[in-house]
Amino acid sequence: LAAALLVTMADTPELMDEDEPFFSNLDILLFSLIAGLLVYWLVFLPQNRSCIGKNIVVFYGSQTGTAEEFSNRLSKDAHRYGMKGMSADPEEYDMSELSRLPEIENSLAIFCMATYGEGDPTDNSQDFYDWLQEGDADFTGVKYTVFSLGNKTYEHYNAMGKYVDKRLAELGAQRIFDLGMGDDDGNLEEDFVSWREQFWPAVCEHFGVEATGEESSIRQYELKVHSDLNMNKIYTGEVGRLKSFENQKPPFDSKNPFLAPVSVNRKLNKAGDRHLMHLELDITGSKIRYESGDHVAVYPINDSVIVNRIGEVLGVDLDTVISLNNLDEESNKKHPFPCPSTYRTALTHYLDITNPPRTNVLYELAQYATEPKEQENMRKMASSSPEVCSNMPCRNILAILEDLPSLRPPIDHLCELLPRLQARYYSIASSSKVHPNSIHICAVVVEYETKTGRVNKGVTTNWLKSKMPTDNGHKATVPMYIRKSQFRLPFKSTNPVIMVGPGTGIAPFMGFVQERGWLKEQGKEVGETVLYYGCRHKNEDFLYQEELEEFEKTGVLTALNVAFSRDQAEKVYVQHLLKKSKEAVWRLVHTDNAHIYICGDARNMARDVQNAFYEIAEELGGLSRAQAVDYIKKLMTKGRYSQDVWS
């Protein structure tokens, strides 16, 4: 601005009259300084300004949307205690400004932190995590508490929440309530509600405040209906930038996914009542790079039949163009999903309409049931008690609306309450060395009958199943991006690898084996490559049978061990095959420095396989159970025992 002003003066001599200058040099200096401060305030400080005047700031580290949902609930709770609360994404804030929080009376920072994968931070809290590790901020006087979200079936249970809790204390912050531990393997919702019920009384006692008696079911957004908006200004499913699907620009990430054409979609299993599929996404020209072991994130679309039925039940025109605008003008989150949009677009692309609604959603919707019995049913469903949950079938929002005829909430409030439809992650089933322009997915189509007799279909897998390549010039596309993983082949190709992956857990190992084959073709020395795979029946669901047998025939796979669990009277699983070849396994691990990889079900398979390794270490290594556990844990620390598991 200062430079522009000087140029203007040079072109306008009357402003710079030597006898009686219009501006003095001091004026120019002051003007430049003020202009610079104004630019800094407008451009660089908005992320910090929105915290001003808030007692309670709830930061969330969220990968699937649950931590963000809990964060919103806690920020709304604050109003019941005469405080001002806001939910905040740490990615959008300069977290060093947290040290200024004590300037606000009765201030408190709450952190709802989810752990992703093997103890990793979520995408949106990665920078915050890095800063905490490297930084040496002084948080003296900052009061905080942490609720962590994790899953006990994973080795690094709630690692992110535990780290944030510990690190903030090290930096001088004062913990005013105990770390909350949410377990998604049990009942995450119940864990959160239980912690929250104890947390707020502790806050009241600490700050000497009392509940105002106001309910926390306060509207966060107000509805604006657009009647004459230009269609080019309306979101039609884009995650970030308007029209980003029409005008694709790299780099591609979670806020700017690439529309990848589907080049292959084939059924993998030969028989049986399930549908296992192999898809190939074309990434030619996208500049997307991936490595074996990475994940591909896919943004799904809800079934139009369910969307239309919701509109029908609620009696609304789904093509009405609307915006839901945040009533808190200082919040960075202006809308719950991209706006302006139509109800149809919101229910199709942005909102999760197939998972059973959480208790807070049911509680807030209950007020709209005009029949007392139905309202009571809603309150029961909103109870987090396991007895109630086990006696009442879990239903999605459409099933609830159909079963309770007097429940007819305003559709805009429903759209405000429903959580965002999240990307789904799949282990990439290909190697970029062999397939630089395509990404392969291996998945099972989810479909099952509920207690109410309805058929529930997995949103993403059923949507992907319908994505068939076409030759008429209109290729089916999938919005996707890459999420980097720590699940990596050894740096030295001479290191042996032991891969254990039953069912669709074979996915990343297809990439690993392809890569080891490619390395051999390049003339590199490659260590032993051993696979333990499992399926139900050899003649039904032996996935990639021809490819795997060819890899074994050419020597790329040193050993292909397959467990067919239901081809004989007694069940045989991958852990049984591991123990059967225990001498070879122990030699590879203990003597030859092998790397172990597990992929698939976390709840049962991963645990059973880990126990098999304990038993092998005990028997052939002469170790006690405690020593065997420690032995495997050391392999994990060294990066020689890696897991890519889900539950």
Side-chain angles (χ1 to χ4, degrees):
L1 283 174
L5 181 63
L6 288 170
V7 169
T8 304
M9 289 174 174
D11 289 342
T12 318
E14 60 269 23
L15 293 181
M16 295 294 285
D17 189 285
E18 288 181 7
D19 298 327
E20 199 173 339
F22 190 81
F23 286 120
S24 70
N25 287 338
L26 182 61
D27 289 332
I28 295 169
L29 184 64
L30 285 171
F31 182 83
S32 304
L33 182 62
I34 291 165
L37 287 169
L38 181 64
V39 169
Y40 179 75
W41 185 74
L42 287 170
V43 177
F44 298 105
L45 286 184
Q47 67 266 39
N48 299 328
R49 280 187 294 142
S50 52
C51 285
I52 292 170
K54 306 294 182 187
N55 303 76
I56 310 286
V57 185
V58 194
F59 294 100
Y60 58 86
S62 188
Q63 196 70 30
T64 63
T66 308
E68 182 179 358
E69 212 179 313
F70 288 177
S71 168
N72 286 333
R73 282 155 76 171
L74 288 168
S75 68
K76 285 174 83 173
D77 283 346
H79 295 278
R80 292 167 57 194
Y81 301 95
M83 297 180 169
K84 290 183 179 178
M86 68 171 291
S87 177
D89 183 343
E91 198 172 34
E92 297 177 1
Y93 291 83
D94 177 359
M95 295 304 284
S96 65
E97 289 291 313
L98 201 60
S99 59
R100 293 180 54 200
L101 201 59
E103 295 171 16
I104 301 166
E105 189 183 4
N106 290 353
S107 61
L108 173 66
I110 307 172
F111 294 84
C112 287
M113 307 304 295
T115 299
Y116 180 82
E118 291 304 304
D120 300 322
T122 59
D123 289 348
N124 78 309
S125 59
Q126 181 69 57
D127 291 344
F128 175 47
Y129 175 70
D130 294 341
W131 179 79
L132 278 178
Q133 284 190 307
E134 299 158 8
D136 55 353
D138 181 5
F139 284 160
T140 304
V142 174
K143 293 171 182 179
Y144 80 96
T145 191
V146 179
F147 182 82
S148 56
L149 298 84
N151 188 311
K152 263 189 180 153
T153 57
Y154 288 77
E155 183 69 26
H156 304 282
Y157 175 54
N158 272 325
M160 189 61 185
K162 289 174 183 173
Y163 177 76
V164 170
D165 180 61
K166 172 175 146 289
R167 187 67 181 132
L168 289 173
E170 288 172 353
L171 294 172
Q174 179 190 354
R175 182 190 300 108
I176 71 154
F177 192 67
D178 295 338
L179 168 68
M181 301 278 271
D183 178 18
D184 201 27
D185 187 46
N187 189 328
L188 186 58
E189 173 80 12
E190 189 182 342
D191 293 338
F192 173 69
V193 170
S194 174
W195 177 85
R196 177 176 166 232
E197 284 172 355
Q198 297 170 63
F199 165 68
W200 282 113
V203 170
C204 288
E205 188 178 341
H206 184 86
F207 291 120
V209 297
E210 291 181 9
T212 60
E214 289 178 31
E215 284 299 319
S216 61
S217 58
I218 307 160
R219 289 296 298 267
Q220 193 179 346
Y221 298 92
E222 65 177 349
L223 172 67
K224 179 174 174 57
V225 177
H226 304 280
S227 54
D228 54 354
L229 202 61
N230 186 323
M231 292 305 287
N232 288 324
K233 293 182 179 177
I234 300 168
Y235 282 87
T236 56
E238 306 93 325
V239 183
R241 178 174 54 87
L242 186 67
K243 302 296 174 191
S244 61
F245 286 165
E246 292 176 21
N247 182 18
Q248 294 251 279
K249 292 177 185 174
F252 297 104
D253 55 27
S254 61
K255 294 184 174 71
N256 181 35
F258 175 65
L259 284 180
V262 176
S263 54
V264 174
N265 185 349
R266 63 184 169 93
K267 189 177 180 181
L268 283 171
N269 52 316
K270 301 178 183 76
D273 54 3
R274 297 186 303 161
H275 184 102
L276 294 116
M277 57 187 174
H278 170 88
L279 279 95
E280 296 183 14
L281 306 179
D282 187 353
I283 55 169
T284 306
S286 67
K287 297 185 179 176
I288 288 173
R289 300 286 177 267
Y290 73 95
E291 290 183 58
S292 302
D294 282 344
H295 296 143
V296 57
V298 168
Y299 282 103
I301 292 172
N302 284 316
D303 188 341
S304 60
V305 173
I306 300 174
V307 172
N308 289 334
R309 181 66 184 138
I310 289 173
E312 192 181 308
V313 169
L314 293 178
V316 295
D317 177 4
L318 292 177
D319 295 313
T320 305
V321 179
I322 57 113
S323 287
L324 287 178
N325 301 321
N326 202 324
L327 290 162
D328 181 357
E329 292 179 359
E330 292 177 340
S331 174
N332 272 11
K333 190 171 184 179
K334 302 301 178 191
H335 317 283
F337 47 79
C339 290
S341 174
T342 64
Y343 287 125
R344 185 183 305 283
T345 298
L347 293 169
T348 303
H349 295 273
Y350 300 136
L351 299 172
D352 186 344
I353 59 174
T354 55
N355 273 319
R358 292 197 178 273
T359 57
N360 66 304
V361 176
L362 296 172
Y363 186 82
E364 291 207 35
L365 290 178
Q367 64 183 299
Y368 297 112
T370 53
E371 281 288 326
K373 268 196 172 181
E374 291 186 359
Q375 192 167 106
E376 187 187 342
N377 276 343
M378 286 289 286
R379 305 261 185 233
K380 278 184 183 175
M381 282 193 281
S383 163
S384 63
S385 91
E387 297 80 30
V388 171
C389 291
S390 61
N391 291 329
M392 299 193 75
C394 290
R395 289 170 282 187
N396 64 29
I397 190 61
L398 175 58
I400 291 168
L401 292 171
E402 286 179 334
D403 291 349
L404 304 175
S406 83
L407 178 68
R408 294 296 177 260
I411 191 169
D412 60 295
H413 198 183
L414 184 66
C415 289
E416 175 180 325
L417 292 171
L418 289 174
R420 282 290 295 268
L421 184 60
Q422 300 292 330
R424 307 305 205 264
Y425 300 90
Y426 296 94
S427 303
I428 296 176
S430 53
S431 164
S432 59
K433 300 283 193 296
V434 181
H435 300 283
N437 291 318
S438 70
I439 286 169
H440 300 182
I441 294 174
C442 169
V444 58
V445 176
V446 178
E447 191 170 321
Y448 59 94
E449 191 172 306
T450 69
K451 287 181 184 177
T452 60
R454 294 180 172 93
V455 174
N456 267 13
K457 294 182 176 183
V459 175
T460 315
T461 53
N462 279 276
W463 176 69
L464 286 173
K465 181 186 173 185
S466 69
K467 292 280 181 180
M468 303 305 294
T470 55
D471 299 320
N472 60 4
H474 297 286
K475 282 198 171 183
T477 57
V478 171
M480 51 71 66
Y481 68 94
I482 299 298
R483 192 187 198 280
K484 294 294 177 187
S485 166
Q486 301 302 314
F487 202 70
R488 289 277 183 267
L489 278 168
F491 180 72
K492 289 183 180 175
S493 63
T494 51
N495 282 120
V497 297
I498 299 171
M499 304 169 290
V500 186
T504 55
I506 188 69
F509 303 136
M510 292 305 295
F512 280 13
V513 175
Q514 287 172 15
E515 191 142 325
R516 301 280 272 193
W518 180 85
L519 287 166
K520 276 198 161 193
E521 285 176 6
Q522 306 305 305
K524 297 273 174 67
E525 188 185 341
V526 176
E528 289 186 53
T529 306
V530 179
L531 174 64
Y532 289 87
Y533 172 67
C535 60
R536 295 177 183 181
H537 302 282
K538 183 175 183 177
N539 296 325
E540 277 189 15
D541 53 358
F542 185 172
L543 308 185
Y544 301 109
Q545 180 179 355
E546 292 78 13
E547 293 98 316
L548 291 172
E549 287 175 348
E550 182 62 26
F551 279 128
E552 185 184 33
K553 187 178 167 186
T554 57
V556 174
L557 268 177
T558 315
L560 173 60
N561 308 283
V562 189
F564 303 108
S565 62
R566 301 182 188 183
D567 273 351
Q568 59 286 310
E570 196 175 321
K571 296 275 176 73
V572 177
Y573 296 115
V574 283
Q575 62 268 24
H576 300 135
L577 296 189
L578 276 167
K579 285 187 270 190
K580 194 175 176 183
S581 54
K582 58 191 174 188
E583 287 84 6
V585 169
W586 182 246
R587 173 185 58 80
L588 286 169
V589 174
H590 192 63
T591 309
D592 298 342
N593 206 33
H595 286 233
I596 301 164
Y597 300 91
I598 320 293
C599 183
D601 165 53
R603 187 175 283 117
N604 300 306
M605 183 277 299
R607 186 188 59 221
D608 292 341
V609 165
Q610 202 161 314
N611 283 330
F613 278 107
Y614 292 157
E615 288 173 29
I616 292 169
E618 283 179 84
E619 187 181 339
L620 298 175
L623 307 177
S624 67
R625 173 49 69 113
Q627 288 171 323
V629 169
D630 188 52
Y631 184 91
I632 298 299
K633 283 205 168 165
K634 279 179 179 165
L635 291 182
M636 290 176 178
T637 306
K638 291 175 184 174
R640 283 183 51 205
Y641 191 112
S642 305
Q643 299 187 92
D644 181 2
V645 293
W646 55 85
S647 62

